Every structure is written in C-alpha cells, then in structure tokens.
Amino acid sequence: MRLLLVRHGQTSSNIGHHLDTAAPGADLTEFGRAQAAAVPGALADEDIRAVYASTLVRTQQTAAPLARELGLEVRVRDGLREIAAGDLEMRNDRDGIERYVRQVFGWEGDLDERMPGAETGREVLDRFDAVVAEAEQEVGDGGTVVCFAHGAVIRMWSALRGDNIDLAFASDRPLENTAMVALEGGSDQGWTVASWTDTALGGSTLTDTRHTGPGGEPDDDPYEPAPNRPGIVTR
C-alpha cells in the first residue's frame, strides 16, 4: 500500500507558534485555504482510494478540496489527531515548545514516558496504527490512502514505523504546512519512507517557513527553521 501523510494547512496558531493540539483547534487561514486548494492538483497522478482526516477542524478543511475532487467521503478519525500537549497546551514560549518537542522526539528511548498531563508515546502510536490498519483493510494491497494529520504526529509515527529513518532524523526535518511524507509497504511487512517533501504540495509559493508552527519545525530552533535544509527522498 502507498500511504500519504499530509500535514494540514496553515492556521493562526501556526503563525503564533502556539501548541494548539486540543479539539476543535484553529481554522485555516486564507493562506492555509490556498494551500489546501492546491493539494488536488499536486496529487493528481496518485491512485487515491480513501481520504482520512483527524478530529481537528484544520485537517478536515485541508482534506475537503481533495475529497471533493475525487468524490470521496472524508473519514474523520481521532487516531490521527496531533500529539496532545497536555499541560503545555497553547503555550508559545521557547521553554514550553522545547519541552514538547524534546518529549516527542525522546520517545525512541522510552515509549511509556508521558507528555506532562497527556499521553505516552505508545498510546500515540497505538491510536495512529489503528487508523492505518483500518485504511489497509479498506483499500487492500496496491491502494493509495491519504491521511491529513499534524506535524508532530506525522514526523513521530513515520520515524518509528519507517524502517529507513529514526526519530533523530525526523527531529531535524521540517514538515511545512501541506507538506507530505509518503510511505510504502504495510503493517505486516513494515513501512519504508519513500519521500519527505520540503515544501507545501502546492510548491514554494505556498510555503511559509516563518510560520510553520512547533509541530513541523526542526527541533534545533523552534522559532527559526533553517531555510536551506534540502528536501528528502529516501529508500
């Protein structure tokens, strides 16, 4: 199966660098809606058989143009929501963001460690795994599924389930709004990260590296993602 994990479009919380992880969450900005509108064209060559989104409104708004173009229903699943910030919810100060990011990308060492006031890494993986398993059951071998989700959970799940990258790799890679991580394989045989885009699916004109938000920024500086990091294509 081919699994396309697309981050939602830009929100006001991304602009403000807020840890906005609770439902319903912020709506897309006008720029975010333009990013979402560009997704169908960018994925026109994919044989997409199902579209999923999280319970946060920004992913559903981002998924809507693609689902409408394909005539598919958006399947809304809680398992795709962002990694809960818990006690850090809506913080946008450097200390709060660094604590969140440090926990997310520290789960390779101990999946049972808990985000303060929220969930463990194992709980995050289990809920995301359940949605992926449902999608596999729906489309079967050879199908393509798009899941609209969030920066931190896409980076974390891809790193821990992909057989060719790890959390250290993912923590150093930005995931811009409507950028995508593509994986191939399956839950039984394992997943391989086939590509990790460095721009929005609509291209550089729809990429705003200044306002990516803490879930998608590399962990070395949550306020200033490096502008010259190369795109990733891995096998």
Side-chain angles (χ1 to χ4, degrees):
M1 193 179 87
R2 186 163 163 82
L3 180 63
L4 309 181
L5 305 180
V6 179
R7 191 183 180 205
H8 60 81
Q10 185 190 80
T11 71
S12 57
S13 291
N14 295 149
I15 293 174
H17 287 82
H18 289 87
L19 290 165
D20 178 7
T21 69
D27 290 325
L28 297 184
T29 62
E30 286 304 309
F31 188 74
R33 293 180 186 279
Q35 290 174 320
V39 169
L43 298 183
D45 292 335
E46 298 280 355
D47 181 21
I48 297 167
R49 302 182 189 177
V51 177
Y52 285 73
S54 83
T55 45
L56 303 185
V57 294
R58 55 189 180 267
T59 60
Q60 297 166 49
Q61 291 168 345
T62 308
L66 178 65
R68 187 164 53 245
E69 177 73 17
L70 297 174
L72 295 173
E73 172 191 357
V74 178
R75 305 192 184 285
V76 177
R77 299 292 184 267
D78 184 65
L80 298 179
R81 62 180 163 79
E82 182 60 294
I83 295 169
D87 296 345
L88 304 173
E89 183 70 16
M90 292 308 290
R91 292 266 298 266
N92 72 340
D93 58 287
R94 185 178 296 271
D95 177 64
I97 291 171
E98 288 180 347
R99 287 173 63 190
Y100 178 82
V101 171
R102 197 160 48 240
Q103 182 60 70
V104 169
F105 295 108
W107 271 327
E108 197 158 45
D110 184 4
L111 275 173
D112 292 314
E113 190 170 347
R114 188 172 297 280
M115 183 75 73
E119 55 196 338
T120 68
R122 194 175 306 279
E123 289 167 345
V124 174
L125 283 179
D126 285 349
R127 62 174 168 82
F128 206 98
D129 284 344
V131 180
V132 172
E134 178 187 349
E136 289 180 277
Q137 185 70 26
E138 179 179 0
V139 306
D141 293 340
T144 297
V145 172
V146 184
C147 293
F148 289 86
H150 306 264
V153 75
I154 290 175
R155 295 160 78 199
M156 179 261 200
W157 188 88
S158 298
L160 292 178
R161 291 297 183 245
D163 60 16
N164 57 336
I165 67 170
D166 57 18
L167 274 176
F169 176 96
S171 72
D172 194 43
R173 308 309 314 173
L175 190 69
E176 308 295 342
N177 294 113
T178 67
M180 180 178 76
V181 178
L183 300 96
E184 297 173 353
S187 297
D188 291 338
Q189 68 267 41
W191 296 98
T192 297
V193 176
S195 64
W196 186 309
T197 68
D198 64 344
T199 65
L201 286 175
S204 58
T205 59
L206 288 173
T207 303
D208 181 1
T209 60
R210 300 166 303 162
H211 300 126
T212 298
E217 291 168 350
D219 68 356
D220 54 354
D221 191 336
Y223 287 87
E224 298 178 8
N228 60 349
R229 293 173 186 268
I232 290 298
V233 176
T234 54
R235 287 298 305 175

